[in-house]
Amino acid sequence: MRLRNWLFHNFREVSRIFGFEEVDFPVLESEALFVRKAGEEIRDQLYCFEDRGNRRVALRPELTPSLARLVIQKGKSVSLPLKWFAVGQCWRYERMTRGRRREHYQWNMDIIGVPEVTAEAELISSIVTFFKKIGITASDVGFKISSRKVLQEVLGSYSVPENSFGKVCVIIDKLEKIPVDEIKKELKLVGMSEVAIEELLQVLSIKSLEKLEEVLGGGGEAISDLKRLFFLAEKFGYSDWIQFDASIVRGLAYYTGIVFEGFDREGKLRAICGGGRYDKLLSTFGGDDIPACGFGFGDAVIVELLKERGLLPELSQQVENIVCALDQDLQGAAASVATKLREKGQTVDLVLEGKPLKWVFKRAARINAQRLILVGSSEWQKGMVSVKILSSGEQYEVEVGKLE
Amino acid sequence: MRLRNWLFHNFREVSRIFGFEEVDFPVLESEALFVRKAGEEIRDQLYCFEDRGNRRVALRPELTPSLARLVIQKGKSVSLPLKWFAVGQCWRYERMTRGRRREHYQWNMDIIGVPEVTAEAELISSIVTFFKKIGITASDVGFKISSRKVLQEVLGSYSVPENSFGKVCVIIDKLEKIPVDEIKKELKLVGMSEVAIEELLQVLSIKSLEKLEEVLGGGGEAISDLKRLFFLAEKFGYSDWIQFDASIVRGLAYYTGIVFEGFDREGKLRAICGGGRYDKLLSTFGGDDIPACGFGFGDAVIVELLKERGLLPELSQQVENIVCALDQDLQGAAASVATKLREKGQTVDLVLEGKPLKWVFKRAARINAQRLILVGSSEWQKGMVSVKILSSGEQYEVEVGKLE
């Protein structure tokens, strides 16, 4: 819990520094919110039920659909752009593996209402800021960046129907996980010709923007968006964190433009985070489309990475005072001392039972107490208590009213 | 969300001041964890499902059973007493009313391993500290306090079987909600004689400890626990917040000793919080019993109370800087200015699109920005930006490197 709080505190601090406002959504949602037909992993692993009123419901697997619904609901009552973040629990119905649990938390940041690539650049900047804050450098982690428009241009030139686009992306996202022959088979099922598939796989192997420009030509949005993003990255100051990689498409159906993924450079772990532009999501829920982009950053893989790098922080319990009555009759006196200190904002662990001093010292050590305050009969009659500074062993008596 | 964060921050701060450690539990639990046979409201309103693997599961209605299980699991690996708090989401399947929603949060503090009433006194002290922190006084709110041992002594003298005890408590808890004849009927169904019922209702109407002592006699634990608690309350400094009220039993089956309930003195709202001692809960989950007590404090009624009293805090968005490029070519420059400020820990809302100045000023006002930093072409060529302090209208140019 201390680790979780530390992590979430950093999520929140970075979001705050970037001027984002916190939002949250229901944990239990209508299943319909997450039903998309592109064959996504997230849909297959939906933790869904029928409730007592025979409604199909699901524990949210992600936050973005709820966010989209909220944006539609708010309609004209909010001024764009919205810059929202959330740290929310999400669920998947799946076997557990390293860095992948049934229940996990996700930090999301989303910018709603900005069509320019500056928005994606800002989002990546915030993740970089987070990494730096927790001690992770550009030699530990990088971002692979591409654009769904790359695929769109390739598919367009082979007349692949537009409504297959989401499906094709979801299939391609599995490129590193399942054999390429399987991928080809699935792409054929979606109606792609063999020539188109070969061309697509060719393009997906490209690792430089120059090469991509040679293949696609210079006039398209894919190239201009990506160039703009790399230009902005330099100005934001994180060029050394990012690289173009056409194979990145992300596994969610709704992305439409820039997509990115944070990865550990040692290649041992799953993606650390991922995001992209989703300009057409709102209309799938019956709203008017608003340009938007965002990312999700889980709480599991990052902890694995911190462990790998020896960067997990030391987080022990911190208590300023432990207050103890030396005999049962002085419990009330000890309680009044505790209250006085707490009123001054001091943290106090009050010993609630009669215990031997040895026990009290052991407890003080375990909770890292700085001072031990003993309420003993003879001192108390003089309005005094005895204070022991536990780090130095220094000991003195002080008037109760003068305890600071 | 700002209100929620403010509230939770105060929950956490008070818990920290009292030396408690934060814990959390799964949101989705096995249904069996919450199935008790005492006819509790919490059980009737269980938000339960069958999952994809045909397991009976439930969204947790409360945190205490999960806590009990964790204590059993930890066994001898933890040193008692444990002082734990949690701020967790809970669910009920019920129609929504004022201060009662299907989804709500509960602040819980629990002390595990202390048989003495000092533990209950400490818990109430922490709630009082919380009230004071958010501006609520003893004239707004009070605590009604009793002990389940009062009932136990009455029922014992009429040979009511011990396994009916939980049921009797749950029935009595409805005393203010349903007609007394209904209560009597239900008590008869549990096997109580008419004489016992009359005596019980008599005792429940007692509002002073002196009167209770007259009726029960002075030798029992009920009286001695309650006297000790009122003595300690004085030492902790919250005597004016509490009163004895025998009608308080709380609606959860597992309480065994002191029970208490926070109420608004105007009598408009439901209970604000409630808790008590539950020394026998662990054995119902197959563990060895450990003396324990705790409370639950919801996030709904307290907000109603704050509204009633005009104590809701003003919580607007706070951003230190809004940074804006004066033309599209300077977006990158604005990004670098934003990065510099953020590296210094400043909060920055970066304008991500080309927008007219009028729009920028409107946004600055909406997000309560303190400074507007404009990146214009002629200043930028000199390495300068223009700064406008929005409260005073003061405006000046400054070297980018000297921005603080």
Side-chain angles (χ1 to χ4, degrees):
Chain A
M1 197 70 203
R2 285 192 289 261
L3 178 62
R4 186 206 275 181
N5 280 342
W6 171 81
L7 198 66
F8 289 9
H9 171 75
N10 282 294
F11 286 157
R12 292 199 164 94
E13 262 305 288
V14 169
S15 305
R16 200 181 62 82
I17 282 173
F18 277 72
F20 281 58
E21 283 216 280
E22 191 163 2
V23 289
D24 196 10
F25 311 101
V27 155
L28 192 74
E29 284 276 15
S30 159
E31 187 185 35
L33 196 63
F34 306 112
V35 173
R36 297 182 295 259
K37 299 202 170 61
E40 297 156 292
E41 191 181 47
I42 206 168
R43 166 79 182 106
D44 297 337
Q45 298 170 353
L46 199 59
Y47 216 134
C48 52
F49 311 94
E50 196 162 284
D51 82 358
R52 289 170 62 178
N54 297 111
R55 284 168 291 249
R56 294 295 310 170
V57 292
L59 288 170
R60 63 185 178 197
E62 56 167 336
L63 304 173
T64 313
S66 307
L67 177 142
R69 189 193 49 198
L70 182 58
V71 171
I72 294 169
Q73 238 172 49
K74 291 276 174 197
K76 300 255 176 276
S77 76
V78 290
S79 310
L80 300 177
L82 298 168
K83 297 179 183 178
W84 282 352
F85 81 97
V87 181
Q89 216 168 350
C90 297
W91 284 263
R92 54 170 76 87
Y93 194 87
E94 190 209 14
R95 228 170 280 125
M96 294 186 286
T97 58
R98 185 179 187 191
R100 210 160 168 82
R101 302 187 310 255
R102 282 200 159 178
E103 200 184 41
H104 74 295
Y105 281 87
Q106 236 185 54
W107 171 38
N108 275 228
M109 286 177 81
D110 292 272
I111 298 173
I112 298 107
V114 178
E116 281 90 339
V117 177
T118 350
E120 288 94 319
E122 170 95 334
L123 291 177
I124 298 172
S125 177
S126 65
I127 307 178
V128 168
T129 303
F130 170 77
F131 281 138
K132 286 182 176 169
K133 224 169 141 42
I134 61 168
I136 285 177
T137 67
S139 60
D140 299 314
V141 157
F143 292 87
K144 291 177 182 168
I145 298 181
S146 184
S147 170
R148 287 261 171 114
K149 289 176 185 166
V150 172
L151 295 181
Q152 224 162 14
E153 289 176 22
V154 175
L155 298 180
S157 69
Y158 287 92
S159 317
V160 178
E162 213 170 304
N163 60 9
S164 309
F165 182 65
K167 279 183 202 165
V168 171
C169 292
V170 170
I171 296 167
I172 293 169
D173 183 56
K174 294 182 276 190
L175 211 45
E176 299 220 321
K177 291 164 215 159
I178 63 174
V180 70
D181 286 347
E182 273 301 312
I183 301 281
K184 286 181 182 174
K185 224 189 290 175
E186 290 193 31
L187 289 174
K188 244 180 239 167
L189 283 173
V190 188
M192 282 185 71
S193 70
E194 273 189 46
V195 195
I197 291 173
E198 285 308 324
E199 164 79 7
L200 182 63
L201 292 175
Q202 275 298 325
V203 171
L204 288 174
S205 68
I206 296 174
K207 307 276 182 216
S208 89
L209 264 181
E210 298 69 38
K211 184 76 198 299
L212 184 73
E213 193 164 1
E214 274 172 36
V215 174
L216 295 184
E221 282 183 11
I223 294 291
S224 65
D225 282 2
L226 285 162
K227 278 188 169 169
R228 178 83 180 149
L229 181 59
F230 279 80
F231 164 78
L232 287 168
E234 202 197 307
K235 302 296 175 185
F236 272 106
Y238 59 81
S239 287
D240 45 340
W241 294 73
I242 62 170
Q243 62 197 60
F244 172 73
D245 187 330
S247 73
I248 294 303
V249 292
R250 301 295 298 155
L252 293 166
Y254 50 66
Y255 289 129
T256 53
I258 296 286
V259 278
F260 56 88
E261 190 173 295
F263 68 100
D264 83 300
R265 293 198 192 270
E266 286 191 2
K268 286 189 193 169
L269 304 168
R270 305 178 70 115
I272 303 165
C273 60
R277 177 165 289 279
Y278 53 93
D279 283 350
K280 306 249 167 83
L281 182 58
L282 268 59
S283 61
T284 66
F285 297 120
D288 294 331
D289 276 326
I290 300 176
C293 57
F295 69 80
F297 190 118
D299 67 338
V301 181
I302 185 66
V303 170
E304 294 300 322
L305 180 70
L306 289 166
K307 270 184 208 159
E308 288 274 340
R309 297 292 185 282
L311 289 170
L312 276 184
E314 287 262 3
L315 301 162
S316 50
Q317 198 183 349
Q318 298 291 343
V319 173
E320 286 155 316
N321 308 280
I322 180 164
V323 172
C324 183
L326 283 176
D327 62 71
Q328 197 67 2
D329 287 350
L330 291 168
Q331 279 289 8
S336 70
V337 171
T339 297
K340 279 197 183 66
L341 285 166
R342 287 164 176 165
E343 277 169 356
K344 288 176 178 153
Q346 292 260 330
T347 57
V348 176
D349 180 59
L350 175 62
V351 177
L352 300 165
E353 307 150 280
K355 288 284 186 185
L357 259 183
K358 202 178 142 195
W359 183 95
V360 177
F361 275 103
K362 252 175 92 178
R363 179 165 177 94
R366 194 172 52 246
I367 64 174
N368 295 300
Q370 292 165 20
R371 299 192 294 187
L372 168 60
I373 296 172
L374 292 172
V375 182
S377 179
S378 56
E379 296 92 338
W380 188 249
Q381 276 164 11
K382 298 178 287 172
M384 313 279 277
V385 291
S386 131
V387 175
K388 185 170 180 122
I389 308 297
L390 291 161
S391 55
S392 63
E394 185 196 349
Q395 195 162 349
Y396 53 89
E397 286 184 12
V398 65
E399 257 177 69
V400 179
K402 288 188 177 147
L403 260 178
E404 285 297 328
Chain B
M1 197 69 203
R2 286 193 290 263
L3 178 62
R4 187 206 276 182
N5 280 341
W6 171 82
L7 198 65
F8 290 9
H9 171 74
N10 282 296
F11 288 157
R12 292 199 165 94
E13 263 304 291
V14 170
S15 306
R16 199 181 62 79
I17 282 174
F18 277 73
F20 281 57
E21 283 217 281
E22 191 164 2
V23 290
D24 196 10
F25 312 101
V27 155
L28 193 74
E29 285 277 14
S30 161
E31 188 186 35
L33 196 62
F34 307 111
V35 173
R36 297 184 294 261
K37 298 200 170 64
E40 297 157 293
E41 190 180 47
I42 206 167
R43 166 77 180 109
D44 296 337
Q45 298 171 354
L46 199 59
Y47 217 133
C48 53
F49 312 95
E50 195 162 285
D51 83 357
R52 288 169 64 177
N54 298 110
R55 284 169 290 249
R56 294 297 308 173
V57 292
L59 289 170
R60 62 183 179 199
E62 56 167 334
L63 303 173
T64 312
S66 307
L67 176 143
R69 189 192 49 200
L70 183 57
V71 171
I72 293 170
Q73 237 172 50
K74 293 275 173 197
K76 301 253 176 277
S77 76
V78 290
S79 310
L80 300 178
L82 298 168
K83 297 178 183 178
W84 282 352
F85 81 96
V87 181
Q89 215 167 351
C90 298
W91 284 262
R92 56 169 74 87
Y93 193 88
E94 189 210 16
R95 229 170 278 125
M96 294 186 287
T97 58
R98 186 179 186 191
R100 210 158 167 84
R101 303 186 310 256
R102 281 201 162 177
E103 201 184 40
H104 74 296
Y105 282 87
Q106 235 183 57
W107 171 37
N108 275 228
M109 286 177 80
D110 291 271
I111 299 173
I112 299 107
V114 178
E116 280 90 341
V117 177
T118 351
E120 287 95 319
E122 170 95 335
L123 292 176
I124 298 172
S125 177
S126 66
I127 307 178
V128 169
T129 303
F130 170 77
F131 281 137
K132 286 182 176 170
K133 225 170 139 43
I134 62 170
I136 285 177
T137 67
S139 58
D140 299 314
V141 158
F143 292 87
K144 291 176 182 167
I145 298 180
S146 184
S147 169
R148 287 259 172 115
K149 288 176 186 166
V150 172
L151 296 181
Q152 226 163 12
E153 290 176 22
V154 175
L155 297 180
S157 68
Y158 288 92
S159 316
V160 178
E162 213 172 306
N163 60 8
S164 308
F165 183 65
K167 278 184 202 164
V168 171
C169 293
V170 170
I171 296 167
I172 293 170
D173 184 56
K174 293 182 276 189
L175 210 46
E176 299 220 321
K177 293 165 211 157
I178 64 174
V180 69
D181 287 346
E182 273 302 312
I183 300 281
K184 287 180 181 173
K185 223 190 289 173
E186 289 192 31
L187 288 173
K188 243 180 243 169
L189 282 172
V190 188
M192 281 184 72
S193 69
E194 271 188 48
V195 193
I197 293 173
E198 286 309 321
E199 162 80 8
L200 182 63
L201 292 177
Q202 276 298 325
V203 171
L204 288 174
S205 69
I206 296 174
K207 307 276 181 214
S208 90
L209 263 181
E210 295 70 37
K211 184 72 199 299
L212 184 73
E213 195 166 357
E214 274 172 37
V215 174
L216 293 186
E221 281 183 15
I223 294 290
S224 66
D225 283 1
L226 285 163
K227 277 189 171 170
R228 177 86 179 145
L229 182 59
F230 279 79
F231 164 78
L232 288 167
E234 201 198 308
K235 302 296 175 184
F236 272 106
Y238 59 80
S239 286
D240 44 341
W241 294 74
I242 62 171
Q243 62 197 61
F244 171 73
D245 187 330
S247 73
I248 294 303
V249 292
R250 300 297 299 157
L252 293 166
Y254 49 68
Y255 290 129
T256 52
I258 295 285
V259 279
F260 55 90
E261 190 172 296
F263 68 100
D264 83 299
R265 295 199 190 266
E266 286 192 1
K268 288 188 192 169
L269 304 167
R270 304 177 71 115
I272 302 164
C273 59
R277 177 165 288 278
Y278 53 94
D279 283 351
K280 306 247 168 86
L281 183 58
L282 267 60
S283 61
T284 66
F285 297 120
D288 294 331
D289 276 326
I290 299 176
C293 56
F295 70 80
F297 190 119
D299 68 337
V301 181
I302 184 65
V303 170
E304 294 301 320
L305 180 70
L306 290 166
K307 270 185 208 157
E308 288 274 340
R309 297 292 185 279
L311 289 170
L312 276 183
E314 285 264 2
L315 300 162
S316 50
Q317 198 183 348
Q318 298 291 344
V319 173
E320 285 155 317
N321 308 279
I322 179 164
V323 172
C324 181
L326 284 173
D327 64 68
Q328 197 67 3
D329 288 351
L330 291 168
Q331 280 288 7
S336 69
V337 171
T339 297
K340 279 196 183 66
L341 284 167
R342 286 164 176 165
E343 279 170 355
K344 290 176 178 154
Q346 292 260 327
T347 56
V348 177
D349 180 61
L350 175 61
V351 177
L352 300 164
E353 308 150 279
K355 288 286 184 183
L357 259 183
K358 203 179 139 193
W359 182 96
V360 177
F361 275 103
K362 252 175 90 178
R363 180 167 177 91
R366 195 173 49 247
I367 64 174
N368 296 301
Q370 292 165 20
R371 300 193 294 188
L372 168 61
I373 297 172
L374 291 171
V375 183
S377 180
S378 55
E379 295 92 338
W380 188 250
Q381 276 163 14
K382 299 179 286 172
M384 312 278 278
V385 291
S386 132
V387 175
K388 186 170 180 121
I389 308 298
L390 290 162
S391 55
S392 63
E394 185 197 349
Q395 196 162 348
Y396 53 90
E397 286 185 10
V398 64
E399 258 177 68
V400 179
K402 290 190 176 147
L403 259 180
E404 285 297 329

